[in-house]
Amino acid sequence: MNSYLAHPVRRVAGTVAVPGDKSISHRSLMLSGIAEGTSDVSGFLASEDCLASLRAMRSLGVDIERPAETRVIVRGVGLRGLKPALHALDMGNAGTAMRLFTGLLSAQHFDSQLIGDESLMRRPMERVAKPLREMGAQVHTRDGTPPVDIKAAERLHGIDYLLPVASAQVKSAILLAGLYAEGPTKVRAPAVSRDHTERMLRSFGVRLEGDDMAVCVHPPQRLQSQRLTVPGDFSSAAFFIVAALLGASGGALMIENVGLNPTRTGLLDILRSMGADIEVLNLRSSGAEPVGDLQIRESALRGIEVPAALVPLAIDEFPVLFIAAACASGETLVSGAQELRVKESDRIAVMSAGLGALGVRHSTLPDGMRIEGRGEGPVFDGGEVQSGGDHRVAMSFCVASVRARAPIVIRDVANVATSFPGFAARARQIGLDVRNCG
Ligand code: S3P
């Protein structure tokens, strides 16, 4: 049952919620684990990626209870209370877990080793190892990729580091190490990236200064335990947003309780400039994060040139944006998105192969893609596509079924469970016809 069969449908509508935010769920475990006192996290994303973080925290001596699927109670051990794991920590498919844990563990008085699945073992880790070494940590990669070996740290010292890429994972790893450093640690960025770590650190009582482009952490005495509610993941909502834009057929789709942190919602800006009708309702705060409900109506999209500044703010949404672009009238150009080459798969290459198999005219660039949109009516031929083991690619091609002429078979979809457990059932709830098949 490692494939999806997605039959064409013509009407996407109703009301749906999406599971908790993946980025925030990882961070909630790490910060609660090193806080003092008991933290209570609801809305936790019980996906493979976040469960890898949960198991890692337990292996490091943190007591975590799960009274319900999406609720975790974390008994924090304090900044200096983590214990060495008895074995290598397996991060599965989770790049966020591997990079953030590298930062956190590089400051501990014990050795650690981080490993992952086949995809994660190919992903670049020097981007975190290098700044951490500048702080005095001993972090080793194997020719730039995992396993990541971390030796017990002497005292780290604060640095002033300019990120070569706008990566929230690298920024966060440095900030986590900075909690343990002598003196403040400053991270400057070439562009804005998601700021969940900064928001959550502040709610745990850590002093941070600066803005979106430069943030400085002052090492705290302690982190204070919290009660946290994780909002729905905007990146999961993205698949349903695009499905409704392509096929709400006079109705509307409502997605409730979606995290709307402005460092995550670049896709909304991009889609709106393509002509999308998306309304934010009930905008409110959920702790440190903005949350709202989204109402989406079918819209005739126009191709655009995606502004470079929006790329990091929509970094996980390009696979599904490519599907939207194929259904727009005119050409869409994405550039400055070379990071897509080093995600869970090479998302430019894997999406290109799938778009090609479904008859979409496009060309790839080293850092993006040019897509010739077909406008109205069915756009995608039926056929078979490979997800490359990439959850977001798999879900994106399910969305294509809203504008397909014939069924689409999507291969290698088990990794959807890394970010969106229960995706097919929720997709069917709003009118998609997606089923698991052999
Ligand atoms: C994430 C940051 C992004 C994103 C990933 C989650 C995070 O990666 O692609 O899915 O939780 O910090 P980069 O920061 O490496 O771009």
Side-chain angles (χ1 to χ4, degrees):
M1 302 297 269
N2 195 17
S3 304
Y4 286 140
L5 172 61
H7 277 279
V9 293
R10 293 287 172 257
R11 190 176 154 83
V12 175
T15 299
V16 72
V18 290
D21 187 277
K22 180 151 75 76
S23 294
I24 297 175
S25 295
H26 281 300
R27 288 156 170 84
S28 73
L29 293 170
M30 295 175 203
L31 296 194
S32 299
I34 56 167
E36 281 172 25
T38 299
S39 293
D40 187 333
V41 183
S42 52
F44 177 76
L45 174 64
S47 73
E48 293 300 330
D49 274 14
C50 299
L51 293 175
S53 275
L54 189 147
R55 282 191 290 272
M57 285 311 280
R58 280 185 176 151
S59 305
L60 293 163
V62 179
D63 178 16
I64 304 177
E65 236 184 277
R66 265 179 88 199
E69 182 76 357
T70 60
R71 182 154 168 239
V72 289
I73 310 282
V74 184
R75 297 203 173 75
V77 295
L79 268 173
R80 296 278 166 202
L82 294 178
K83 302 270 186 311
L86 301 173
H87 45 74
L89 296 166
D90 188 349
M91 301 297 161
N93 193 244
T96 304
M98 186 167 283
R99 299 209 174 100
L100 270 60
F101 270 110
T102 299
L104 181 62
L105 294 174
S106 71
Q108 308 299 321
H109 296 300
F110 53 80
D111 299 354
S112 304
Q113 187 181 55
L114 306 183
I115 56 170
D117 71 4
E118 218 187 302
S119 146
L120 187 52
M121 294 301 273
R122 285 196 302 263
R123 295 184 66 187
M125 294 299 150
E126 270 304 306
R127 52 177 62 196
V128 280
K130 181 174 174 288
L132 295 171
R133 284 197 289 264
E134 284 182 24
M135 297 175 79
Q138 295 192 60
V139 181
H140 307 278
T141 64
R142 200 159 296 171
D143 293 328
T145 56
V148 177
D149 280 296
I150 301 165
K151 296 286 165 222
E154 300 298 323
R155 193 102 175 118
L156 304 188
H157 52 83
I159 52 169
D160 180 341
Y161 191 73
L162 174 63
L163 296 174
V165 283
S167 161
Q169 293 179 349
V170 180
K171 173 176 65 174
S172 301
I174 300 169
L175 292 176
L176 290 175
L179 295 176
Y180 296 84
E182 225 158 72
T185 296
K186 187 167 183 180
V187 187
R188 288 176 291 126
V192 181
S193 65
R194 67 189 68 190
D195 66 355
H196 303 301
T197 305
E198 296 90 309
R199 287 173 187 250
M200 202 182 287
L201 281 171
R202 286 193 176 103
S203 34
F204 276 80
V206 178
R207 190 174 140 220
L208 267 96
E209 284 160 1
D211 54 31
D212 284 348
M213 300 292 285
V215 61
C216 180
V217 61
H218 294 268
Q221 295 296 321
R222 59 203 291 271
L223 272 67
Q224 182 54 50
S225 59
Q226 294 297 305
R227 179 177 284 274
L228 300 168
T229 304
V230 180
D233 197 323
F234 180 83
S235 296
S236 296
F239 303 104
F240 296 161
I241 294 172
V242 173
L245 288 174
L246 301 185
S249 302
L253 176 70
M254 175 80 102
I255 314 178
E256 293 179 325
N257 190 37
V258 184
L260 293 174
N261 180 320
T263 63
R264 289 290 296 284
T265 53
L267 180 75
L268 286 187
D269 302 314
I270 296 169
L271 289 172
R272 281 180 174 144
S273 57
M274 295 172 80
D277 178 353
I278 305 170
E279 236 183 294
V280 174
L281 305 172
N282 292 322
L283 188 61
R284 55 202 184 267
S285 292
S286 171
E289 296 281 344
V291 169
D293 305 326
L294 297 174
Q295 189 173 62
I296 304 112
R297 293 181 195 280
E298 184 169 356
S299 309
L301 301 178
R302 299 177 296 275
I304 59 161
E305 198 169 312
V306 174
L310 290 179
V311 169
L313 309 182
I315 193 64
D316 290 338
E317 280 61 79
F318 283 95
V320 79
L321 178 68
F322 295 158
I323 300 296
C327 303
S329 52
E331 186 183 273
T332 295
L333 173 65
V334 174
S335 60
Q338 55 281 359
E339 279 294 296
L340 297 182
R341 298 268 183 204
V342 290
K343 292 294 178 188
E344 287 83 329
S345 70
D346 175 342
R347 286 183 173 158
I348 296 174
V350 178
M351 283 303 297
S352 167
L355 290 170
L358 301 182
V360 176
R361 293 170 66 120
H362 70 283
S363 57
T364 62
L365 309 169
D367 62 346
M369 203 183 283
R370 201 182 279 282
I371 296 177
E372 226 177 274
R374 275 211 203 142
E376 309 256 295
V379 163
F380 302 95
D381 297 337
E384 191 173 310
V385 296
Q386 298 291 335
S387 78
D390 187 322
H391 55 133
R392 299 201 197 281
V393 172
M395 291 184 274
S396 298
F397 282 114
C398 290
V399 172
S401 64
V402 178
R403 287 289 194 86
R405 264 179 221 101
I408 301 174
V409 175
I410 303 133
R411 299 288 183 204
D412 199 5
V413 301
N415 269 348
V416 168
T418 60
S419 70
F420 198 153
F423 166 74
R426 290 211 199 190
R428 287 195 295 272
Q429 189 187 324
I430 60 165
L432 288 156
D433 185 356
V434 179
R435 283 166 209 284
N436 282 94
C437 66

